Amino acid sequence: MTLTELRYIVAVARERHFGRAAEACHVSQPTLSVAIKKLEEELDVKIFERGSSEVSLTPLGESIVRQAQSVIEQAQGIREIAKRGKDPLAGPLRLGIIYTIGPYLLPELVRNAIEQTPQMPLMLQENFTVKLLDMLRTGELDCAVMAEPFPDTGLAVAPLYDEPFVVAVPANHALAQREHISPEELKRETMLLLGTGHCFRDHVLEVCPEYARFSSDTEGIKKSFEGSSLETIKHMVASGMGVTVVPGLSVPKEPTAHLAYVPFTEPVPTRRVVLAWRRSFTRYEAIAALRNAVYACELPGVTRLTA
Protein backbone atom coordinates (compact mmCIF):
# COMPACT_ATOMS: atom_id res chain seq x y z
CA MET A 1 0.00 0.00 0.00
CA THR A 2 1.40 3.38 -1.03
CA LEU A 3 0.43 7.01 -0.59
CA THR A 4 0.01 7.22 -4.36
CA GLU A 5 -2.60 4.46 -4.31
CA LEU A 6 -4.41 6.20 -1.47
CA ARG A 7 -4.45 9.46 -3.43
CA TYR A 8 -5.91 7.59 -6.39
CA ILE A 9 -8.85 6.16 -4.43
CA VAL A 10 -9.56 9.54 -2.84
CA ALA A 11 -9.59 11.12 -6.32
CA VAL A 12 -11.98 8.50 -7.69
CA ALA A 13 -14.25 8.91 -4.65
CA ARG A 14 -14.33 12.64 -5.30
CA GLU A 15 -14.82 12.55 -9.06
CA ARG A 16 -17.01 9.42 -9.23
CA HIS A 17 -15.26 8.71 -12.51
CA PHE A 18 -11.95 6.95 -13.30
CA GLY A 19 -11.13 9.13 -16.29
CA ARG A 20 -11.63 12.43 -14.47
CA ALA A 21 -9.77 11.10 -11.43
CA ALA A 22 -6.81 10.09 -13.62
CA GLU A 23 -6.79 13.54 -15.19
CA ALA A 24 -6.84 15.18 -11.75
CA CYS A 25 -3.91 13.00 -10.67
CA HIS A 26 -1.99 13.68 -13.92
CA VAL A 27 -1.72 10.00 -14.83
CA SER A 28 -3.25 7.80 -17.51
CA GLN A 29 -6.51 6.03 -16.72
CA PRO A 30 -4.94 2.54 -17.11
CA THR A 31 -2.23 3.48 -14.61
CA LEU A 32 -4.80 4.63 -12.07
CA SER A 33 -7.11 1.66 -12.65
CA VAL A 34 -4.30 -0.88 -12.29
CA ALA A 35 -3.09 0.73 -9.05
CA ILE A 36 -6.59 0.71 -7.54
CA LYS A 37 -7.17 -2.90 -8.59
CA LYS A 38 -3.84 -3.83 -6.98
CA LEU A 39 -4.90 -2.11 -3.74
CA GLU A 40 -8.27 -3.88 -3.74
CA GLU A 41 -6.53 -7.21 -4.24
CA GLU A 42 -4.04 -6.47 -1.46
CA LEU A 43 -6.84 -5.57 0.95
CA ASP A 44 -9.10 -8.32 -0.43
CA VAL A 45 -12.07 -5.94 -0.51
CA LYS A 46 -14.07 -4.10 -3.14
CA ILE A 47 -13.71 -0.34 -2.69
CA PHE A 48 -15.74 0.80 -5.72
CA GLU A 49 -18.84 -0.33 -7.58
CA ARG A 50 -18.19 0.21 -11.28
CA GLY A 51 -21.33 1.37 -13.11
CA SER A 52 -21.81 2.19 -16.77
CA SER A 53 -21.81 5.95 -16.21
CA GLU A 54 -20.68 6.53 -12.62
CA VAL A 55 -18.48 4.96 -9.99
CA SER A 56 -19.80 4.63 -6.44
CA LEU A 57 -18.23 3.62 -3.13
CA THR A 58 -19.13 0.40 -1.38
CA PRO A 59 -20.06 0.80 2.31
CA LEU A 60 -16.64 -0.56 3.28
CA GLY A 61 -15.04 1.62 0.61
CA GLU A 62 -16.42 4.76 2.27
CA SER A 63 -14.59 3.91 5.50
CA ILE A 64 -11.40 3.10 3.61
CA VAL A 65 -11.47 6.40 1.69
CA ARG A 66 -12.02 8.39 4.90
CA GLN A 67 -9.02 6.69 6.48
CA ALA A 68 -6.99 7.20 3.29
CA GLN A 69 -7.72 10.93 3.43
CA SER A 70 -6.60 11.03 7.05
CA VAL A 71 -3.35 9.23 6.19
CA ILE A 72 -2.67 11.63 3.30
CA GLU A 73 -3.21 14.62 5.59
CA GLN A 74 -0.90 13.14 8.21
CA ALA A 75 1.78 12.56 5.59
CA GLN A 76 1.37 16.16 4.44
CA GLY A 77 1.66 17.19 8.07
CA ILE A 78 5.13 15.65 8.21
CA ARG A 79 6.19 17.81 5.28
CA GLU A 80 4.66 20.87 6.91
CA ILE A 81 6.53 20.20 10.16
CA ALA A 82 9.77 20.07 8.20
CA LYS A 83 8.90 23.31 6.37
CA ARG A 84 7.95 25.08 9.57
CA GLY A 85 11.37 24.30 10.96
CA LYS A 86 12.79 26.47 8.18
CA ASP A 87 9.99 28.99 7.64
CA PRO A 88 6.50 28.57 9.17
CA LEU A 89 4.96 30.40 6.23
CA ALA A 90 6.90 28.71 3.42
CA GLY A 91 4.82 27.23 0.63
CA PRO A 92 1.51 28.04 -1.06
CA LEU A 93 -1.82 28.27 0.76
CA ARG A 94 -4.84 26.85 -1.10
CA LEU A 95 -7.69 29.27 -0.43
CA GLY A 96 -11.31 28.84 -1.46
CA ILE A 97 -13.81 31.70 -1.57
CA ILE A 98 -17.47 31.99 -2.53
CA TYR A 99 -18.52 33.84 -5.66
CA THR A 100 -20.24 36.72 -3.85
CA ILE A 101 -17.13 37.59 -1.83
CA GLY A 102 -14.24 36.84 -4.20
CA PRO A 103 -14.46 39.79 -6.63
CA TYR A 104 -14.72 42.35 -3.83
CA LEU A 105 -12.20 40.97 -1.31
CA LEU A 106 -9.55 39.16 -3.35
CA PRO A 107 -7.86 42.03 -5.23
CA GLU A 108 -6.80 43.83 -2.04
CA LEU A 109 -6.34 40.61 -0.06
CA VAL A 110 -3.92 39.18 -2.63
CA ARG A 111 -1.93 42.43 -2.70
CA ASN A 112 -1.67 42.40 1.09
CA ALA A 113 -0.63 38.75 1.14
CA ILE A 114 2.10 39.38 -1.43
CA GLU A 115 3.43 42.29 0.61
CA GLN A 116 3.22 40.60 4.02
CA THR A 117 4.04 36.97 3.19
CA PRO A 118 5.62 36.73 -0.28
CA GLN A 119 6.87 33.22 0.54
CA MET A 120 3.24 32.04 0.89
CA PRO A 121 1.50 32.48 -2.49
CA LEU A 122 -2.27 32.05 -2.50
CA MET A 123 -3.72 29.39 -4.80
CA LEU A 124 -7.32 30.53 -5.31
CA GLN A 125 -10.54 28.63 -6.01
CA GLU A 126 -13.91 30.38 -6.40
CA ASN A 127 -16.96 28.17 -5.98
CA PHE A 128 -20.26 27.55 -4.22
CA THR A 129 -20.25 26.94 -0.47
CA VAL A 130 -21.23 23.27 -0.83
CA LYS A 131 -18.35 22.61 -3.24
CA LEU A 132 -15.83 24.46 -1.07
CA LEU A 133 -16.89 22.42 1.97
CA ASP A 134 -16.36 19.24 -0.02
CA MET A 135 -12.92 20.41 -1.17
CA LEU A 136 -11.95 21.24 2.41
CA ARG A 137 -13.05 17.81 3.54
CA THR A 138 -11.03 16.02 0.85
CA GLY A 139 -7.93 18.15 1.38
CA GLU A 140 -8.05 19.95 -1.99
CA LEU A 141 -8.24 23.25 -0.09
CA ASP A 142 -6.45 24.36 3.06
CA CYS A 143 -9.01 26.99 4.07
CA ALA A 144 -11.97 28.92 2.71
CA VAL A 145 -13.67 32.30 3.12
CA MET A 146 -17.43 31.72 3.31
CA ALA A 147 -20.58 33.21 4.79
CA GLU A 148 -22.42 31.61 7.67
CA PRO A 149 -24.49 29.61 8.14
CA PHE A 150 -23.26 26.41 6.53
CA PRO A 151 -23.54 22.76 7.60
CA ASP A 152 -21.53 21.78 10.67
CA THR A 153 -18.67 19.75 9.26
CA GLY A 154 -16.36 19.86 12.26
CA LEU A 155 -14.30 22.68 10.76
CA ALA A 156 -12.40 25.26 12.75
CA VAL A 157 -13.95 28.69 12.11
CA ALA A 158 -12.67 32.21 12.77
CA PRO A 159 -14.97 35.23 12.22
CA LEU A 160 -13.68 37.93 9.89
CA TYR A 161 -16.42 40.55 9.56
CA ASP A 162 -20.16 41.24 9.50
CA GLU A 163 -21.27 42.71 6.17
CA PRO A 164 -24.51 44.72 5.73
CA PHE A 165 -26.92 44.22 2.84
CA VAL A 166 -27.83 47.12 0.56
CA VAL A 167 -30.67 47.63 -1.93
CA ALA A 168 -29.63 48.38 -5.53
CA VAL A 169 -32.19 50.20 -7.69
CA PRO A 170 -32.12 52.02 -11.04
CA ALA A 171 -30.95 55.60 -10.63
CA ASN A 172 -34.29 56.92 -11.95
CA HIS A 173 -36.38 54.69 -9.65
CA ALA A 174 -38.62 56.32 -7.02
CA LEU A 175 -36.77 54.44 -4.26
CA ALA A 176 -33.41 55.84 -5.40
CA GLN A 177 -34.07 59.08 -3.51
CA ARG A 178 -34.83 57.36 -0.22
CA GLU A 179 -32.36 57.46 2.68
CA HIS A 180 -33.44 53.99 3.82
CA ILE A 181 -35.64 51.17 2.55
CA SER A 182 -37.47 48.52 4.57
CA PRO A 183 -37.90 44.93 3.36
CA GLU A 184 -41.66 45.50 3.38
CA GLU A 185 -41.32 48.21 0.71
CA LEU A 186 -39.71 45.79 -1.73
CA LYS A 187 -42.66 43.40 -1.84
CA ARG A 188 -44.16 44.74 -5.05
CA GLU A 189 -40.88 45.33 -6.87
CA THR A 190 -39.56 43.07 -9.60
CA MET A 191 -36.75 41.29 -7.81
CA LEU A 192 -33.56 40.04 -9.44
CA LEU A 193 -31.98 37.16 -7.51
CA LEU A 194 -28.92 34.98 -7.85
CA GLY A 195 -29.63 31.46 -9.07
CA THR A 196 -29.96 28.39 -6.89
CA GLY A 197 -26.69 27.34 -5.30
CA HIS A 198 -25.56 30.78 -4.23
CA CYS A 199 -25.75 31.13 -0.45
CA PHE A 200 -26.37 34.87 -0.84
CA ARG A 201 -29.66 34.05 -2.55
CA ASP A 202 -30.69 32.20 0.62
CA HIS A 203 -29.60 35.16 2.74
CA VAL A 204 -31.82 37.51 0.71
CA LEU A 205 -34.77 35.14 0.97
CA GLU A 206 -34.34 35.13 4.75
CA VAL A 207 -34.54 38.91 4.82
CA CYS A 208 -37.57 39.05 2.51
CA PRO A 209 -39.36 35.67 2.51
CA GLU A 210 -41.94 37.04 0.06
CA TYR A 211 -39.39 36.66 -2.73
CA ALA A 212 -39.62 32.89 -2.43
CA ARG A 213 -43.36 32.66 -2.91
CA PHE A 214 -44.15 35.41 -5.40
CA SER A 215 -47.15 34.97 -7.65
CA SER A 216 -48.62 37.09 -10.42
CA ASP A 217 -52.12 36.94 -8.95
CA THR A 218 -51.43 37.25 -5.21
CA GLU A 219 -49.75 39.76 -2.96
CA GLY A 220 -45.98 39.76 -2.92
CA ILE A 221 -43.29 40.08 -5.54
CA LYS A 222 -44.68 40.77 -9.01
CA LYS A 223 -42.06 38.74 -10.80
CA SER A 224 -38.59 37.35 -10.10
CA PHE A 225 -35.61 36.82 -12.38
CA GLU A 226 -32.43 34.90 -11.65
CA GLY A 227 -28.87 35.72 -12.67
CA SER A 228 -25.53 33.95 -12.54
CA SER A 229 -23.51 36.68 -10.83
CA LEU A 230 -24.00 39.85 -8.81
CA GLU A 231 -22.36 41.97 -11.49
CA THR A 232 -24.70 40.59 -14.17
CA ILE A 233 -27.69 41.34 -11.97
CA LYS A 234 -26.42 44.89 -11.33
CA HIS A 235 -26.30 45.51 -15.09
CA MET A 236 -29.88 44.22 -15.36
CA VAL A 237 -30.96 46.57 -12.56
CA ALA A 238 -29.18 49.49 -14.24
CA SER A 239 -31.16 48.78 -17.42
CA GLY A 240 -34.42 49.11 -15.49
CA MET A 241 -35.40 45.45 -15.24
CA GLY A 242 -35.93 45.49 -11.47
CA VAL A 243 -34.18 45.88 -8.12
CA THR A 244 -31.89 43.63 -6.12
CA VAL A 245 -30.11 43.22 -2.79
CA VAL A 246 -26.31 43.13 -2.69
CA PRO A 247 -23.61 42.72 -0.02
CA GLY A 248 -22.04 45.95 1.19
CA LEU A 249 -18.54 45.30 -0.18
CA SER A 250 -19.94 45.02 -3.71
CA VAL A 251 -21.03 48.68 -3.63
CA PRO A 252 -18.53 50.71 -5.69
CA LYS A 253 -16.64 53.50 -3.96
CA GLU A 254 -17.62 56.06 -6.60
CA PRO A 255 -21.27 56.81 -7.54
CA THR A 256 -22.49 55.21 -10.76
CA ALA A 257 -24.64 56.89 -13.38
CA HIS A 258 -27.34 54.26 -13.69
CA LEU A 259 -27.47 52.64 -10.24
CA ALA A 260 -28.35 53.86 -6.76
CA TYR A 261 -27.52 51.98 -3.55
CA VAL A 262 -29.85 52.54 -0.61
CA PRO A 263 -29.29 51.19 2.93
CA PHE A 264 -31.91 49.11 4.74
CA THR A 265 -33.77 50.47 7.75
CA GLU A 266 -32.72 49.20 11.18
CA PRO A 267 -32.14 46.43 12.00
CA VAL A 268 -29.95 46.20 8.92
CA PRO A 269 -29.69 42.62 7.62
CA THR A 270 -26.11 41.34 7.51
CA ARG A 271 -24.11 38.22 6.81
CA ARG A 272 -21.16 36.95 8.83
CA VAL A 273 -18.06 36.18 6.77
CA VAL A 274 -15.66 33.65 8.28
CA LEU A 275 -12.47 31.78 7.56
CA ALA A 276 -12.81 28.00 7.89
CA TRP A 277 -10.21 25.22 7.84
CA ARG A 278 -9.84 21.58 8.86
CA ARG A 279 -8.97 21.07 12.50
CA SER A 280 -6.22 18.70 11.36
CA PHE A 281 -4.53 21.45 9.30
CA THR A 282 -1.19 22.13 10.96
CA ARG A 283 -0.11 25.47 9.44
CA TYR A 284 -1.49 27.70 12.20
CA GLU A 285 0.86 30.53 11.28
CA ALA A 286 -0.48 30.52 7.70
CA ILE A 287 -4.06 30.88 8.94
CA ALA A 288 -3.05 33.75 11.23
CA ALA A 289 -1.15 35.46 8.40
CA LEU A 290 -4.17 35.17 6.09
CA ARG A 291 -6.47 36.68 8.73
CA ASN A 292 -4.01 39.57 9.18
CA ALA A 293 -4.04 40.13 5.41
CA VAL A 294 -7.86 40.30 5.49
CA TYR A 295 -7.84 42.75 8.39
CA ALA A 296 -5.37 44.92 6.49
CA CYS A 297 -7.97 45.35 3.72
CA GLU A 298 -10.00 48.56 3.70
CA LEU A 299 -13.38 46.72 4.01
CA PRO A 300 -15.60 49.86 3.93
CA GLY A 301 -18.86 49.59 5.85
CA VAL A 302 -18.26 46.22 7.49
CA THR A 303 -17.89 45.42 11.19
CA ARG A 304 -14.54 43.71 11.76
CA LEU A 305 -14.50 40.72 14.10
CA THR A 306 -11.32 39.60 15.80
CA ALA A 307 -12.63 37.13 18.39
Side-chain angles (χ1 to χ4, degrees), residues 9-73:
I9 65 171
V10 169
V12 173
R14 180 179 65 247
E15 300 292 341
R16 305 286 178 173
H17 190 275
F18 278 84
R20 291 194 297 269
E23 184 178 346
C25 294
H26 307 291
V27 297
S28 67
Q29 183 172 337
T31 297
L32 180 138
S33 297
V34 168
I36 291 178
K37 182 174 177 58
K38 173 177 173 292
L39 180 60
E40 288 181 321
E41 290 175 350
E42 178 183 343
L43 298 175
D44 194 25
V45 297
K46 196 171 185 180
I47 299 174
F48 298 104
E49 295 282 357
R50 280 83 165 170
S52 57
S53 59
E54 188 176 271
V55 178
S56 60
L57 283 164
T58 64
L60 189 58
E62 291 183 1
S63 298
I64 291 173
V65 168
R66 279 197 299 270
Q67 187 63 34
Q69 180 60 50
S70 177
V71 171
I72 292 169
E73 288 187 16

Side-chain angles (χ1 to χ4, degrees), residues 169-172 192 232-242 257-259:
V169 301
N172 59 359
L192 307 184
T232 298
I233 288 178
K234 285 183 184 180
H235 285 295
M236 295 169 68
V237 171
S239 68
M241 295 182 64
H258 303 293
L259 271 178

Side-chain angles (χ1 to χ4, degrees), residues 20 61 77 86 111 116 127 133 143 155 172 176 187 197 229 295 304-305:
R20 291 194 297 269
K86 302 174 183 177
R111 284 197 299 271
Q116 297 173 12
N127 221 308
L133 289 171
C143 54
L155 296 171
N172 59 359
K187 280 186 177 181
S229 75
Y295 294 140
R304 300 168 188 268
L305 305 170

Side-chain angles (χ1 to χ4, degrees), residues 165-169 175 181-183 186 191 211 243-246 251 260-264:
F165 298 166
V166 179
V167 182
V169 301
L175 293 175
I181 297 175
S182 69
L186 298 178
M191 178 58 56
Y211 301 170
V243 304
T244 195
V245 176
V246 299
V251 177
Y261 296 92
V262 187
F264 274 101

Side-chain angles (χ1 to χ4, degrees), residues 2 22 44 53 60 74 84 111 135 154 163 181 199 207-208 215 217 231 235 249 259 288-289 296-297:
T2 66
D44 194 25
S53 59
L60 189 58
Q74 290 174 17
R84 288 165 65 187
R111 284 197 299 271
M135 296 176 77
E163 181 179 20
I181 297 175
C199 63
V207 175
C208 303
S215 172
D217 56 0
E231 293 307 309
H235 285 295
L249 285 185
L259 271 178
C297 294

